[in-house]
Amino acid sequence: MTAQEIKAEIKAGEQPSAFSPALAARRRAQARADRVAVFYPLASGVLGLAIWEAVVRILKMPPYLLPAPTHVLAETWLYLPMLLKQLGITAFAAGVGFAIALVGGVVAGAAITASRFVDRTLYPWLVIWHAIPKAVVAPLFIVWIGFGMTSEIIFVIVFTVFPIVVNTVTGLKSADPDLLLLVRSMGAERFQMLWKIRIPNALPSIFAGIKISATLAPVGAVIGEFVAANQGLGHLLIQAIGGLETPLAFAAVFVMAVFGIAIWYLTEAIERWTIPWHASQRGSVLGL
Amino acid sequence: MTTVLLQDVRKVYGGTQADVDALGPISFGIAKGETVSVVGPSGCGKSTLLRVIAGLDSATAGTVTVAGQLVSSPIGDVGIVFQRDLLLDWRSVIDNVLLPAELRRMDLSAARTRAMQLLAELGVADFALRYPWELSGGMRQRVAIARALLCKPSMLFLDEPFSALDALTRDQMNVILQQVQIHEGVTTLLITHSIQEAVFLADRVIVMSGRPGRTLDEIVVPFARPRRLSLREAPEFAAIAGRIRIHFERTGILVG
Ligand SMILES: Nc1ncnc2c1ncn2[C@@H]1O[C@H](COP(=O)(O)OP(=O)(O)OP(=O)(O)O)[C@@H](O)[C@H]1O
Ligand SMILES: [Mg+2]
């Protein structure tokens, strides 16, 4: 029997009308909630910018101290090609670093879960590493690896790997013991247990780690560029501040922020697409 | 013919402070095609008993044989249903039911036909392509039963399968379970807290003592099948239920 046949069989016996009034009411309520969800953040953002603009104009602040939002916008527009090129460099370092951190973090998490020995020996190091303020040790990377992209990428990796490892471990360890017993009685092998049960079960948790790390990655890249690069948005930022070109610095920050927001929504979209079955995603799947 | 045989089975869990005497010594058998209900106070080792028979946990002492084989690893020929349905959220209902066939690398298209038959028999065929979270508790537990029966096991073990359901749904599930049981001819071990449920579904009820659980009483339930829910009002039924209740009152589980 194919999925199509099953689908047809179900269609024949379906009575969707029985539930539709309640469903329609739920949809309306959700639409209202969505409008509220868009309206309040937007209104608060616009109000904040308006106050900022007003303060700068009324107090006649010099641009090198605090440029007005409109000024920042104009500056962004003026230098847009250059800003985008620098962003591309930063994004590349962030992307490559994050990808390596993701793969390495998941593998390390799996190893920690699978082997008590790895757990006992690797975990303390991770915790120690996490406790160290990494921005402070960033300059050491120049000493160790030298100036440039490699240094920057490695800095991104160490900056972002921890949340992925921890969330992978949490996710893999969170499988219901009764469920594991049940599939064991169904004759599941170790590999099947991992692939069919533990990993899907861990995905929501891994995604929580991915969201944190993906947004940390550009921050890590910028910090890396502060000290170990002669290009990228981080380098531009340092240069602009040094030259009292504050509006340009703000423009760089603005571009960074937009990029960060885009990354956030991108990871959310991937999450929704990958784990539509998870409780946090269900509303959107059912359209309720 | 006896297919499950326990002889002086004990289970002791090694704890951090002291060992926990969880079960036994307990001895009993289950005949082929028979349904045995096990009732007993909470924590007396009923779930432990089920795990030991299924080979998911080893006995500290004594022997368990299933179909003449000494049990030392998970036995394949059994379907298990726990109190929580343990359906996988990321799989549709039909794919949940197919899980055991998939894990055993069986022919999936034949298994799919069988799965649809089981879902139809359990009254949830319309939901085959839905996801578990779209189903009510009773429906989810029906899916769990279908999954347990997919590979045509000769035994079905249920550990308080309907405890989380409301009384009405529970009655309904008892009738449905009886129906598939007759149809499938499975040897059944049912652990339950409900005396009514235990008697209604069983050929024999084993009453266990408090921890470590031993056999307090074994009562044969002679009524022919299929049984109707109204049987529960019959004086003969009430007499058996009463005999079990007395054990519970004596051990102080029930005060009445
Ligand atoms: N994995 C374990 N490790 C240590 N002790 C355990 C373990 N599993 C069960 N026990 C102990 O064994 C005893 C029996 O537990 P079991 O779960 O078999 O009881 P039960 O009769 O199923 O109880 P309930 O009716 O509440 O489900 C309990 O005292 C429990 O604390
Ligand atoms: Mg139990």
Side-chain angles (χ1 to χ4, degrees), chain A:
Chain A
M1 196 181 250
T2 66
Q4 266 71 33
E5 282 165 20
I6 295 168
K7 216 173 249 169
E9 196 162 296
I10 289 162
K11 272 248 166 61
E14 218 171 28
Q15 299 151 317
S17 59
F19 289 100
S20 58
L23 204 70
R26 287 242 289 281
R27 285 229 170 88
R28 273 200 300 281
Q30 184 60 42
R32 202 176 322 125
D34 281 349
R35 277 199 298 280
V36 170
V38 173
F39 176 73
Y40 284 104
L42 208 66
S44 130
V46 169
L47 185 68
L49 288 175
I51 291 173
W52 175 1
E53 183 85 30
V55 166
V56 171
R57 281 178 190 242
I58 292 166
L59 299 183
K60 295 199 169 51
M61 288 211 182
Y64 70 86
L65 210 57
L66 181 69
T70 47
H71 190 164
V72 174
L73 215 59
E75 192 83 358
T76 308
W77 182 246
L78 185 65
Y79 290 107
L80 195 59
M82 188 268 284
L83 284 166
L84 287 181
K85 186 169 163 259
Q86 299 306 315
L87 172 67
I89 292 160
T90 306
F92 177 79
V96 172
F98 170 72
I100 296 171
L102 175 58
V103 174
V106 168
V107 169
I112 285 171
T113 317
S115 148
R116 184 155 297 188
F117 173 75
V118 178
D119 186 353
R120 296 270 158 82
T121 48
L122 192 63
Y123 221 69
W125 286 104
L126 271 166
V127 174
I128 291 168
W129 178 249
H130 188 57
I132 295 173
K134 278 164 284 295
V136 178
V137 295
L140 275 176
F141 281 75
I142 312 174
V143 180
W144 291 336
I145 304 153
F147 207 71
M149 188 56 103
T150 315
S151 215
E152 199 184 327
I153 289 174
I154 291 176
F155 185 72
V156 172
I157 296 170
V158 300
F159 201 71
T160 58
V161 79
F162 189 79
I164 293 177
V165 177
V166 170
N167 281 283
T168 303
V169 170
T170 311
L172 288 174
K173 281 188 176 169
S174 75
D176 189 313
D178 273 351
L179 176 60
L180 295 176
L181 272 186
L182 186 71
V183 290
R184 212 147 69 79
S185 93
M186 293 174 185
E189 296 147 17
R190 256 180 94 91
F191 172 78
Q192 289 178 317
M193 210 105 105
L194 186 70
W195 186 244
K196 297 203 186 254
I197 309 292
R198 280 188 188 272
I199 288 178
N201 186 67
L203 280 181
S205 178
I206 293 176
F207 261 108
I210 286 179
K211 276 205 223 171
I212 298 170
S213 289
T215 40
L216 276 180
V219 180
V222 166
I223 298 175
E225 285 161 355
F226 280 173
V227 293
N230 52 9
Q231 51 180 358
L233 278 182
H235 179 70
L236 177 72
L237 203 57
I238 290 285
Q239 293 277 298
I241 291 171
L244 282 185
E245 294 177 83
T246 313
L248 181 59
F250 268 83
V253 170
F254 175 61
V255 168
M256 271 297 295
V258 171
F259 181 65
I261 292 167
I263 292 286
W264 175 263
Y265 280 105
L266 183 69
T267 53
E268 285 224 311
I270 295 173
E271 182 182 25
R272 201 166 304 142
W273 178 71
T274 318
I275 50 167
W277 45 269
H278 190 243
S280 65
Q281 310 296 329
R282 278 170 207 168
S284 50
V285 174
L286 298 175
L288 300 178

Side-chain angles (χ1 to χ4, degrees), chain B residues 223-239:
Chain B
F223 313 115
R225 286 196 174 83
R227 297 170 182 169
R228 303 169 62 101
L229 283 174
S230 56
L231 173 70
R232 299 183 306 190
E233 275 101 62
E236 299 89 333
F237 189 102

Side-chain angles (χ1 to χ4, degrees), chain B residues 145-167:
Chain B
I145 293 172
R147 176 179 62 185
L149 293 172
L150 181 77
C151 296
K152 299 200 169 93
S154 60
M155 285 170 294
L156 179 63
F157 291 180
L158 306 115
D159 190 352
E160 302 185 29
F162 311 133
S163 300
L165 306 178
D166 64 273

